[in-house]
Amino acid sequence: MIELSRKGIKTKYFSPFNEEIDETFNHLTKQLDPTEERYIHKESQRILKNDKILNLDQLKQSQFNYLILPGGNGLLKNLSNFENENYNLNEIYLNKDLERILNEFYLNKKPIGFLSNSILIGLKALQNNLNNKQPLKLIIGKNLEKQQVDTLNKLVSDSGENVIRESGNAEEVMVDEENLIVTVPSSAASGNVLPCDVYLASEKLVDALLSLE
């Protein structure tokens, strides 16, 4: 958000509406809190503050030049069932609007940026369009869980001679010019990534996306 606004890029932010967060994590107690009710769009609006959060089902690729998917465990928990199904690909489903949007951007040759672990959702959504197409070039964080890395490798196994590099550098960026995909490890790079590292990762990702226009 900071880097996009700093570059004067007009942005819109989207979230599913009226979907309850299944599990709320209490960051004070480091435990799940089953008594607290939260909704994805309300939490998104709280983070966004001044801009208005829009319903994900309103997102049309024809109105935008790029798509950026932030990472984090909340993304995997709330927009997919990766964790609930223990990363069993036969049982995985994604938010249908997000799956549609990712494929629309990809098929219309519009650049997509993935931070941290969000590449898992991207690869699952694009699986049918990526397989047997151009080989992929991706960079992932060294701090991704083993299950996540194994799942990622399964998702790209039919996509040709892929280049997948693990990095402990949060801001190291990989640009796939053929598939118009940009990845950066961000917070998944290591267990001690600083806020400034996450910002620099976002800066590099935005610069890379702009270079693909």
Side-chain angles (χ1 to χ4, degrees):
M1 292 166 54
I2 295 172
E3 186 58 22
L4 291 167
S5 62
R6 195 177 72 85
K7 283 182 163 58
I9 298 172
K10 294 182 179 180
T11 55
K12 297 289 184 182
Y13 300 91
F14 295 84
S15 165
F17 268 47
N18 300 316
E19 290 191 19
E20 189 171 358
I21 296 174
D22 291 334
E23 295 179 328
T24 299
F25 186 77
N26 187 319
H27 289 272
L28 292 174
T29 63
K30 305 299 182 183
Q31 294 178 340
L32 295 175
D33 185 354
T35 65
E36 187 171 0
E37 287 188 2
R38 291 189 183 183
Y39 289 85
I40 299 173
H41 71 286
K42 291 182 179 180
E43 292 303 302
S44 300
Q45 185 63 69
R46 178 179 62 80
I47 296 169
L48 193 57
K49 294 185 179 178
N50 294 330
D51 290 297
K52 183 180 179 181
I53 199 77
L54 302 173
N55 196 330
L56 190 61
D57 65 11
Q58 299 175 9
L59 201 164
K60 304 288 190 299
Q61 64 81 21
S62 59
Q63 300 174 349
F64 298 94
N65 296 325
Y66 315 94
L67 179 67
I68 298 175
L69 203 63
N73 290 332
L75 184 81
L76 290 181
K77 281 180 174 290
N78 297 315
L79 295 179
S80 77
N81 67 340
F82 270 106
E83 295 196 359
N84 290 341
E85 295 297 336
N86 202 30
Y87 293 86
N88 178 359
L89 287 176
N90 293 325
E91 303 295 333
I92 298 301
Y93 66 83
L94 307 178
N95 176 282
K96 293 302 181 185
D97 286 313
L98 180 57
E99 187 170 6
R100 167 187 61 81
I101 291 159
L102 284 164
N103 279 282
E104 287 178 354
F105 271 79
Y106 182 78
L107 292 173
N108 283 278
K109 301 185 183 306
K110 293 189 174 180
I112 308 173
F114 297 98
L115 292 103
S116 186
N117 57 7
S118 69
I119 188 59
L120 279 167
I121 285 182
L123 291 175
K124 177 59 178 173
L126 299 173
Q127 188 175 19
N128 291 335
N129 286 316
L130 288 174
N131 287 351
N132 301 316
K133 306 288 184 178
Q134 294 286 348
L136 286 161
K137 293 170 61 178
L138 305 171
I139 190 165
I140 59 176
K142 284 190 173 181
N143 206 44
L144 283 182
E145 299 172 11
K146 184 181 184 300
Q147 277 186 314
Q148 294 176 340
V149 176
D150 291 345
T151 301
L152 185 148
N153 285 321
K154 290 176 184 176
L155 285 168
V156 301
S157 61
D158 297 325
S159 300
E161 296 297 323
N162 303 297
V163 176
I164 302 175
R165 186 162 75 243
E166 292 188 34
S167 175
N169 181 353
E171 61 187 272
E172 187 175 355
V173 67
M174 177 76 81
V175 180
D176 185 334
E177 295 181 349
E178 298 295 332
N179 289 292
L180 299 181
I181 288 174
V182 179
T183 46
V184 66
S186 189
S187 58
S190 69
N192 57 352
V193 174
L194 300 174
C196 60
D197 299 324
V198 175
Y199 169 74
L200 290 173
S202 301
E203 180 183 33
K204 295 288 182 61
L205 180 128
V206 170
D207 286 341
L209 283 175
L210 293 175
S211 73
L212 291 175
E213 189 174 19

